[in-house]
């Protein structure tokens, strides 16, 4: 899936003029969601091809989004609604006069409908990976959620759930509940439920019914069988990000209703800001105004689309530039591999080439057998022309002619454009490409390609790759391997297990091990390529010790490739290969291994690599991501390494992390991240990611990550407890893995501008600390966070600056003037290390102690934030803000301590009673003694 907010290179004035001339309908082709005149257009909902056809599914999707549109319009105070929505029907469903797809595909969808491959649970969720105020990746609904009416009681009306998830996806806000921390101690030392707003009411329920909260909480944990049940009738109108299922909830928490004390993800990720504050700060709200009048917006319109036959055309550069650096040979090797191994069965494939003019080399052929694949390989270009000029538009024109032969239109087709030429006239065909309905994937070879070539891919929703002129680079084969059908059917797609290349000295060898795990193994192929001399000596051992040698490989000496196809399902385990250079000169040897899923019952592990933005300007870093999954479940504890290849110079390797620090926003969500800023030159960079996982450690997270809609266990209605059906477990039984796995994926290219030549001053600050936490024990406050680096998340920072304030707004808006904490004894550690710092708030500030007046209510809470500095005095952004309760009033005590208070009260009462009893006895004794004395005196007088 391509990130939604990728921005292409700066367009020429001519291209901008073309865009202005386009109709609104064309502007949405291949693009992300657009907001025009308060209405969202181009929202794409895609149904996974593994979902069984159901006649109720599409009507329920329409009903959900229609309901959501009116609810969203009200919740945003007449600001936005859904104008038009596309629903992508899988090709596996029956044809029903649906419209043909253009550039839409499953991988570009904003909303996906898919099962979790045999697991239980139907939580709608949004995959968020970037942080507060940033768009997410997609919303995921299960078919059962959309079809099972019984789930509405637990989640609320589907339209409300859609708005909850849309706020995650579009505006980057987070959940205001917390299943792991369902309650907290507030500033008055009282137990409160984690919620927003605090006005939402309910009661504690034990096994036998309602009960006081002290009976439900033991040592700050819920007693088994206890839960907090909310009243079905509420007066509170917020918040949608807490409990959208309540009928009274019609808005987001704002500054007046936001619960800053609740330990939820919204407060953590957005530094205690309300969801409405984040939403109104978005581009959607900055670029629009509320609608006038009292009328509701029109209901959304829906377009039903279905992909037809898979149609691909290779558009290949054969100009004189392709003779440089073995470009033509490497193109031939990669194109052959694509035709033989990657492109799916039953696809229609054609071939066109171009220099200054275009030429059709092969009309569309449907692939039904290996002979069809071999026939197409025979049409690949074998020589370059004498023409120095490159005309990309002429090649694309011929490509469109090829694919239009099938249905009269290029709708839904794919162009794979490979070029090394510096064509200055690409603008001439941008409009044609934009409106063709075809998706153009671009592969650029070398550093002389025109800067705006990738705009063809950006406009049509295609991928873009850069291949450096290095003999040991396998990037062109990786690029072809990355181009899939786009249907979302992972069981049919080719999966890359290995990609490596080395320049091997004479009488030396390239030796390595590739793991074929049990989830793959069908249609497994080992490809060996070389650039000079003859083939190397090849030796391959399977996990059982069976040996394959050069004679077992199919050699193509003209293309300098050797290929071994493993029949049936490859034996799972470690396969070891050795390539011996038996020649007298250096040899560039490369190995690629691909396979497909071994079973429709178990999804294979996959990796998707991408960058946050297509281009950046020095010194701004590029954020690199790798999404590692098995089905929809994140794979944790993997070793993920990114390799970044510049146009010139050596590649840079970078280990990616899933630790919830630095560039990584959410810990253990299967998305591994890192900052990249080691820019050698201005120009294009290519990204490749390797993933290795060892069976000695746990791999699958226990549940689907992301921001979920809350499932309500029950309600209090008319004083009665009404429980919903128990929520199905989302846990997954992890099958035994004996061998681990390995995966490779190309993440495409990005461009960097403005890199200074030669040495330059330090311009990279430490990265922002995003996981600051605080705990108060008696009079001390203990802070913890992950150490940033000298440069972003690499190296070691020089110092920390910790400040605190009684005012959240002050520390947000004016951090420099907040109260400074003494950190003279705090020395930063290496990036990625856990830091812990304890201080006394009253004693370590540079301000008088009377700033913290224990008699005032406001002084109960302080806000703390931190930033790091490097040796060049460059400062990181201010961290997330945490809050701490400093003072406890004399007349309040924690409810969990109530039992001890009662005991103290009883003991005190008993003591008082004892004293009273002793006093009474003493008085009684004294009175009796006085009486006796008086009697004696009277007796003496009588005598």
């Amino acid at each position: 899936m391509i990130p939604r907010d990728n921005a292409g290179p700066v367009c020429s004035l001519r291209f901008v003029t073309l865009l202005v001339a386009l109709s609104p309908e064309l502007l949405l082709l291949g693009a992300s969601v657009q907001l025009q005149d308060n209405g969202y257009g181009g929202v794409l909902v895609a149904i996974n091809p593994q979902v069984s056809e159901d006649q109720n599914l599409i009507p329920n999707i329409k009903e959900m989004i229609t309901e959501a549109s009116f609810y969203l319009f009200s919740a945003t105070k007449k600001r936005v609604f859904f104008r038009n929505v596309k629903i992508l029907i899988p090709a596996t469903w029956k044809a029903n006069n649906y419209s043909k797809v253009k550039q839409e595909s499953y991988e570009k969808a904003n909303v996906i409908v898919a099962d979790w491959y045999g697991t239980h649970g139907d939580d709608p969720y949004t995959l968020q990976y970037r942080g507060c105020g940033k768009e997410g990746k997609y919303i995921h609904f299960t078919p059962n959620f959309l079809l099972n009416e019984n789930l509405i009681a637990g989640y609320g009306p589907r339209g409300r759930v859609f708005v909850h998830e849309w706020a995650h996806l579009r505006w980057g806000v987070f959940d205001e509940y917390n299943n792991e921390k369902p309650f907290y101690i507030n500033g008055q030392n009282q137990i409160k439920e984690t919620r927003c707003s605090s006005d939402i009411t309910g009661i504690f329920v034990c096994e036998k019914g309602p009960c006081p909260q002290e009976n439900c909480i033991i040592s700050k944990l819920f007693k088994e069988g206890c839960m907090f049940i909310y009243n079905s009738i509420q007066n509170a109108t917020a918040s949608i990000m807490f409990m959208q299922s309540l009928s009274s909830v019609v808005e987001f928490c704002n500054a007046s209703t936001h619960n800053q004390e609740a330990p939820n993800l919204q407060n953590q990720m957005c530094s205690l800001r309300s969801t409405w504050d984040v939403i109104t700060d978005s581009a959607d709200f900055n670029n629009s105004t509320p609608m006038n009048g009292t009328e509701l917006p029109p209901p959304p319109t829906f377009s039903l689309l279905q992909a037809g036959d898979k149609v691909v055309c290779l558009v290949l550069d054969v100009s004189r530039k392709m003779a440089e650096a073995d470009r033509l040979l490497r193109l031939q090797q990669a194109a052959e591999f694509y035709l033989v191994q990657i492109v799916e069965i039953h696809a229609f494939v054609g071939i066109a080439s171009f220099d200054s003019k275009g030429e059709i080399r092969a009309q569309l052929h449907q692939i039904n057998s290996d002979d069809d694949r071999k026939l197409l390989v025979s049409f690949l270009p074998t020589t370059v022309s004498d023409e120095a000029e490159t005309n990309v538009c002429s090649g694309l024109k011929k490509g469109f002619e090829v694919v239009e032969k099938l249905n009269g239109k290029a709708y839904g087709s794919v162009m794979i454009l490979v070029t090394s030429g510096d064509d200055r006239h690409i603008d001439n065909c941008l409009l044609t490409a934009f409106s063709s309905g075809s998706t153009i994937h671009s592969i650029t070879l070398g550093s002389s390609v025109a800067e705006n070539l990738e705009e063809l891919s950006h406009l049509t929703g295609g991928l873009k790759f850069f291949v450096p002129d290095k003999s040991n680079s396998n990037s062109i084969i990786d690029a072809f391997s990355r181009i899939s059908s786009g249907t979302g059917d992972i069981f049919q797609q080719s999966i890359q297990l290995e990609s490596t290349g080395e320049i091997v000295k004479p009488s030396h060898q390239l030796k390595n091990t590739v793991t074929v795990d049990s989830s793959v193994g069908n249609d497994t192929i080992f490809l060996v390529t070389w650039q000079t001399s003859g083939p190397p000596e090849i030796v391959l051992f399977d996990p059982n010790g069976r040996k394959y040698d050069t004679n077992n490989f199919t050699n193509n000496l003209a293309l300098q490739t050797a290929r071994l196809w493993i029949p049936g399902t490859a034996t799972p385990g470690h396969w070891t290969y050795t390539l011996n250079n038996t020649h007298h000169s250096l040899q560039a040897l490369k190995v690629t291994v691909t396979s497909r899923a071994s079973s429709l019952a178990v999804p294979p592990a996959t990796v998707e690599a991408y960058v946050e933005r297509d281009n950046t300007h020095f010194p701004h870093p590029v954020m690199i991501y790798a999404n590692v999954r098995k089905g929809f479940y994140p794979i944790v504890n993997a070793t993920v390494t990114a390799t970044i290849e510049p146009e010139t110079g050596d590649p840079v390797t970078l280990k990616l992390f899933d630790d919830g620090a630095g560039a990584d926003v959410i810990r253990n969500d299967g998305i591994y991240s890192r900052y990249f800023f080691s820019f050698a030159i201005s120009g294009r960079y290519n990204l490749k990611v390797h993933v290795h996982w060892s069976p000695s450690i746990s791999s699958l997270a226990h549940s689907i990550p992301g921001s979920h809609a809350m499932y309500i266990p029950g309600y209090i209605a008319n004083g009665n407890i009404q429980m919903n059906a128990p929520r199905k477990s989302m846990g997954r039984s992890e099958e035994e893995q004996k061998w681990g796995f390995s995966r490779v994926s190309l993440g495409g290219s990005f461009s960097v501008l403005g890199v200074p030549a030669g040495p330059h001053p330090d311009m990279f600050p430490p990265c922002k600390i995003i996981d600051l936490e605080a705990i108060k024990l008696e009079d001390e406050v203990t802070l913890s966070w992950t150490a940033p680096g000298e440069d972003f998340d690499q190296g070691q920072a020089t110092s920390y600056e910790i400040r605190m304030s009684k005012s959240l707004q002050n520390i947000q808006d004016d951090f420099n003037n907040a109260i400074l904490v003494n950190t003279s004894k705090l020395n930063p550690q290496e990036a990625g290390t856990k830091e812990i710092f304890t201080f006394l708030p009253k004693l370590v500030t540079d301000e008088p102690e009377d700033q913290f007046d224990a008699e005032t209510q406001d002084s109960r809470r302080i806000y703390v934030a931190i930033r790091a500095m490097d040796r060049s005095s460059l400062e990181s952004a201010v961290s997330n803000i945490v809050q701490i309760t400093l003072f406890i009033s004399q007349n309040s005590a924690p409810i969990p301590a109530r039992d001890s208070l009662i005991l103290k009260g009883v003991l005190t009462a008993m003591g008082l009673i004892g004293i009273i009893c002793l006093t009474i006895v003493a008085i009684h004794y004294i009175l009796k003694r006085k009486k006796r004395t008086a009697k004696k005196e009277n007796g003496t007088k009588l005598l």
Side-chain angles (χ1 to χ4, degrees):
M1 186 178 296
I2 301 170
R4 305 288 188 272
D5 60 344
N6 283 357
V10 178
C11 303
S12 66
L13 179 60
R14 183 177 181 182
F15 174 58
V16 173
T17 305
L18 286 173
L19 282 183
V20 172
L22 295 177
S23 68
E25 182 180 358
L26 286 177
L27 281 171
L28 294 177
L29 279 177
S32 59
V33 175
Q34 300 285 326
L35 179 62
Q36 294 179 330
D37 298 327
N38 298 92
Y40 288 115
V43 178
L44 180 60
V45 180
I47 302 173
N48 191 281
Q50 295 294 319
V51 173
S52 300
E53 187 167 358
D54 190 297
Q55 62 181 0
N56 295 320
L57 190 57
I58 294 174
N60 284 9
I61 292 173
K62 291 181 176 180
E63 181 182 342
M64 173 180 67
I65 298 178
T66 300
E67 179 188 9
S69 184
F70 296 122
Y71 186 56
L72 181 67
F73 184 71
S74 173
T76 58
K77 303 179 182 3
K78 301 183 178 182
R79 188 74 71 130
V80 294
F81 62 94
F82 296 110
R83 186 183 303 279
N84 59 71
V85 178
K86 302 174 186 178
I87 302 178
L88 182 58
I89 313 298
T92 52
W93 288 24
K94 295 177 183 177
N96 191 19
N97 294 321
Y98 299 125
S99 300
K100 293 291 184 182
V101 298
K102 295 179 181 177
Q103 285 128 348
E104 302 86 3
S105 71
Y106 182 88
E107 294 179 340
K108 302 173 192 174
N110 311 104
V111 182
I112 60 174
V113 179
D115 287 307
W116 285 350
Y117 302 115
T119 61
H120 297 292
D122 292 291
D123 269 4
Y125 75 93
T126 302
L127 187 60
Q128 294 180 269
Y129 66 101
R130 294 169 57 197
C132 184
K134 304 287 188 178
E135 285 190 52
K137 202 158 181 59
Y138 56 76
I139 298 171
H140 181 185
F141 295 109
T142 64
N144 191 51
F145 171 81
L146 295 169
L147 296 171
N148 189 344
E149 299 298 316
N150 295 328
L151 293 177
I152 293 177
Y155 293 103
R158 296 190 187 105
R160 287 170 167 249
V161 174
F162 191 91
V163 171
H164 177 99
E165 299 304 330
W166 183 260
H168 287 313
L169 178 76
R170 186 70 180 181
W171 300 314
V173 296
F174 291 84
D175 289 322
E176 293 171 330
Y177 66 90
N178 189 337
N179 288 330
E180 296 181 358
K181 296 180 181 179
F183 73 94
Y184 63 99
I185 309 298
N186 73 356
Q188 288 73 48
N189 214 27
Q190 299 168 330
I191 290 180
K192 293 292 181 182
E193 296 69 44
T194 302
R195 56 190 165 176
C196 193
S197 71
S198 299
D199 296 331
I200 294 179
T201 60
I203 63 172
F204 281 95
V205 174
C206 303
E207 294 175 348
K208 297 181 180 180
C211 57
Q213 59 186 354
E214 60 266 25
N215 291 358
C216 261
I217 298 174
I218 301 174
S219 300
K220 299 185 179 181
L221 295 173
F222 267 125
K223 181 182 177 181
E224 187 175 354
C226 287
M227 63 183 67
F228 191 84
I229 304 296
Y230 294 90
N231 296 318
S232 61
I233 305 299
Q234 302 274 349
N235 293 321
T237 57
S239 167
I240 292 171
M241 301 315 294
F242 172 64
M243 194 180 290
Q244 74 287 331
S245 56
L246 292 173
S247 59
S248 67
V249 170
V250 293
E251 61 186 14
F252 298 94
C253 262
N254 55 36
S256 62
T257 57
H258 180 57
N259 181 6
Q260 294 177 358
E261 291 185 298
N264 55 40
L265 206 55
Q266 172 65 23
N267 278 331
Q268 177 188 334
M269 300 301 298
C270 297
S271 288
L272 311 181
R273 295 170 66 194
S274 72
T275 53
W276 185 243
D277 181 30
V278 176
I279 291 170
T280 54
D281 200 31
S282 67
D284 287 351
F285 278 57
N286 289 332
N287 298 326
S288 65
T289 57
M291 294 176 63
N292 297 321
T294 58
E295 294 184 1
L296 292 174
T301 60
F302 295 90
S303 304
L304 303 183
L305 314 174
Q306 188 175 40
D309 296 314
K310 173 74 174 179
V311 181
V312 180
C313 186
L314 307 185
V315 182
L316 311 177
D317 186 353
V318 293
S319 66
R320 191 190 306 168
K321 281 279 187 181
M322 292 296 293
E324 300 175 7
D326 283 329
R327 290 173 185 165
L328 180 64
L329 174 62
R330 290 185 289 145
L331 168 59
Q332 291 172 316
Q333 293 171 340
E336 182 210 32
F337 185 64
Y338 176 79
L339 294 172
V340 169
Q341 178 66 12
I342 303 299
V343 68
E344 292 87 346
I345 192 76
H346 305 313
F348 289 86
V349 181
I351 302 173
S353 63
F354 64 94
D355 43 27
S356 62
K357 301 179 296 294
E359 177 187 359
I360 296 176
R361 305 186 72 90
Q363 296 289 355
L364 289 179
H365 284 67
Q366 187 173 27
I367 297 177
N368 294 309
S369 66
D370 287 343
D371 289 338
D372 295 321
R373 296 179 184 273
K374 293 176 183 176
L375 178 63
L376 282 164
V377 170
S378 69
F379 289 110
L380 290 174
T382 56
T383 59
V384 299
S385 74
D386 294 329
E387 292 273 358
E389 183 182 351
T390 303
N391 190 331
V392 170
C393 293
S394 66
L396 286 175
K397 181 180 179 181
K398 293 299 180 182
F400 292 141
E401 288 180 18
V402 169
V403 300
E404 287 170 358
K405 289 285 180 67
L406 190 64
N407 296 310
K409 297 274 188 184
Y411 290 177
S413 64
V414 170
M415 300 283 160
I416 301 179
L417 171 64
V418 185
T419 182
S420 64
D422 186 11
D423 185 352
R424 301 295 179 182
H425 305 290
I426 292 175
D427 289 354
N428 293 337
C429 58
L430 284 174
L431 177 58
T432 301
F434 192 68
S435 56
S436 67
S438 180
T439 298
I440 301 175
H441 303 299
S442 61
I443 303 174
T444 61
L445 308 181
S447 57
S448 61
V449 181
E451 289 183 2
N452 64 341
L453 175 77
E454 286 94 342
E455 198 61 44
L456 288 164
S457 297
H458 176 68
L459 289 175
T460 61
L463 302 172
K464 57 190 188 65
F465 305 97
F466 162 69
V467 178
D469 286 331
K470 297 184 177 70
S471 59
N472 62 335
S473 174
N474 219 12
S475 294
I476 189 167
I477 292 177
D478 298 335
F480 273 97
S481 299
R482 175 69 174 80
I483 298 172
S484 67
S485 62
T487 64
D489 191 353
I490 190 61
F491 294 99
Q492 300 301 322
Q493 294 175 10
S494 179
I495 297 171
Q496 197 168 5
L497 310 183
E498 173 77 317
S499 174
T500 189
E502 285 186 17
I503 297 177
V504 181
K505 297 178 181 178
S507 302
H508 285 67
Q509 59 187 211
L510 170 60
K511 184 175 182 179
N512 210 343
T513 298
V514 59
T515 302
V516 178
D517 58 285
S518 58
S519 70
V520 296
N522 286 353
D523 199 20
T524 302
I525 214 165
F526 287 77
L527 174 70
V528 176
T529 64
W530 59 94
Q531 298 302 116
T532 57
S533 306
E537 179 186 59
I538 306 172
V539 179
L540 173 67
F541 288 97
D542 76 3
N544 295 327
R546 178 181 175 180
K547 180 181 178 180
Y548 301 86
D549 59 26
T550 309
N551 295 326
N552 300 115
F553 282 68
T554 300
N555 290 280
N556 186 328
L557 297 180
L559 299 185
Q560 298 177 205
T561 65
R563 186 174 67 254
L564 175 68
W565 178 74
I566 307 298
T569 302
T571 304
H574 301 306
W575 292 64
T576 302
Y577 62 83
T578 303
L579 308 183
N580 294 301
N581 182 2
T582 58
H583 303 277
H584 300 293
S585 59
L586 296 174
Q587 220 179 11
L589 303 178
K590 290 165 283 189
V591 178
T592 301
V593 183
T594 63
S595 187
R596 298 184 196 271
S598 60
S599 165
L600 294 179
V602 180
T606 59
V607 56
E608 178 193 9
Y610 47 92
V611 294
E612 184 180 29
R613 297 169 58 184
D614 279 350
N615 60 79
T616 190
H617 197 284
F618 183 88
H620 299 292
V622 171
M623 298 176 79
I624 294 174
Y625 302 99
N627 190 357
V628 187
R629 275 179 164 47
K630 191 174 182 67
F632 289 101
Y633 280 84
I635 294 175
V636 298
N637 299 319
T639 300
V640 183
T641 305
T643 302
I644 301 98
E645 295 180 297
E647 290 184 2
T648 60
D650 295 329
V652 177
T653 58
L654 199 62
K655 188 173 181 180
L656 309 185
F657 297 104
D658 185 17
D659 57 359
D664 192 71
V665 174
I666 307 289
R667 178 182 176 87
N668 288 341
D669 64 349
I671 298 179
Y672 297 73
S673 317
R674 200 74 187 273
Y675 291 102
F676 173 68
F677 51 88
S678 301
F679 307 128
I681 58 169
S682 295
R684 294 180 176 92
Y685 290 74
N686 186 60
L687 169 65
K688 181 195 290 188
V689 167
H690 290 78
V691 178
H692 297 279
W693 175 77
S694 168
S696 62
I697 53 178
S698 175
S699 66
L700 287 183
H702 295 297
S703 64
I704 299 286
S707 302
H708 296 244
M710 186 176 181
Y711 183 84
I712 309 303
Y715 295 98
I716 306 297
N718 299 321
N720 298 317
I721 301 173
Q722 298 180 355
M723 300 302 294
N724 293 319
R727 180 174 174 231
K728 290 183 178 180
S729 170
M730 290 195 304
R732 177 187 176 92
S733 59
E734 189 172 341
E735 64 270 13
E736 182 181 1
Q737 284 279 4
K738 297 180 181 179
W739 309 281
F741 67 83
S742 58
R743 296 289 187 271
V744 179
S745 180
L746 208 61
S749 64
F750 59 91
S751 299
V752 182
L753 303 175
V755 179
H760 52 80
D762 181 11
M763 302 182 70
F764 305 121
C767 64
K768 176 182 176 179
I769 295 168
I770 62 173
D771 61 344
L772 179 66
E773 295 181 350
I775 298 175
K776 180 180 177 294
L777 295 175
E778 297 181 351
D779 293 333
E780 292 185 333
V781 171
T782 298
L783 303 176
S784 63
W785 66 93
T786 302
E790 165 76 13
D791 298 329
F792 295 106
D793 53 4
Q794 298 178 38
Q796 187 172 345
T798 301
S799 62
Y800 291 119
E801 180 181 2
I802 300 175
R803 291 184 180 270
M804 56 187 177
S805 173
K806 292 189 296 181
S807 166
L808 173 61
Q809 185 171 355
N810 286 350
I811 201 166
Q812 285 176 334
D813 300 340
D814 194 10
F815 178 80
N816 289 335
N817 287 322
I819 300 169
L820 183 66
V821 175
N822 185 353
T823 57
S824 59
K825 296 182 179 180
L826 176 60
N827 296 314
Q829 302 182 72
E830 191 71 20
T833 307
K834 200 66 177 179
E835 301 270 30
I836 296 177
F837 178 68
T838 300
F839 66 98
L840 293 169
K842 286 187 179 181
L843 302 178
V844 299
T845 67
D846 292 339
E847 302 291 335
E849 285 188 27
D850 59 12
Q851 284 213 8
F852 299 100
D853 183 2
E855 298 301 320
T856 65
Q857 186 68 23
D858 289 342
S859 67
R860 293 184 181 277
R861 202 177 305 154
I862 63 169
Y863 303 91
V864 180
I866 183 174
R867 68 181 172 193
M869 277 73 69
D870 66 10
R871 57 175 174 260
S872 300
S873 298
L874 297 177
E875 300 172 337
S876 71
V878 176
S879 72
N880 62 299
I881 300 170
V882 295
Q883 62 179 4
I884 305 157
T885 301
L886 282 184
F887 298 103
I888 306 300
S889 60
Q890 298 300 318
N891 59 357
S892 67
I895 289 174
R898 184 173 293 179
D899 290 344
S900 62
L901 290 178
I902 293 173
L903 179 60
K904 290 179 182 178
V906 170
L907 292 175
T908 302
M910 291 177 64
L912 290 173
I913 292 171
I915 293 171
I916 292 171
C917 290
L918 288 174
T919 303
I920 292 172
V921 170
I923 293 172
H924 180 70
Y925 175 77
I926 293 170
L927 291 174
K928 287 185 70 175
R929 188 171 183 180
K930 285 183 177 180
K931 287 181 180 180
R932 289 175 184 170
T933 302
K935 285 182 180 181
K936 287 182 180 179
E937 290 177 352
N938 291 336
T940 303
K941 290 178 180 179
L942 289 172
L943 292 172

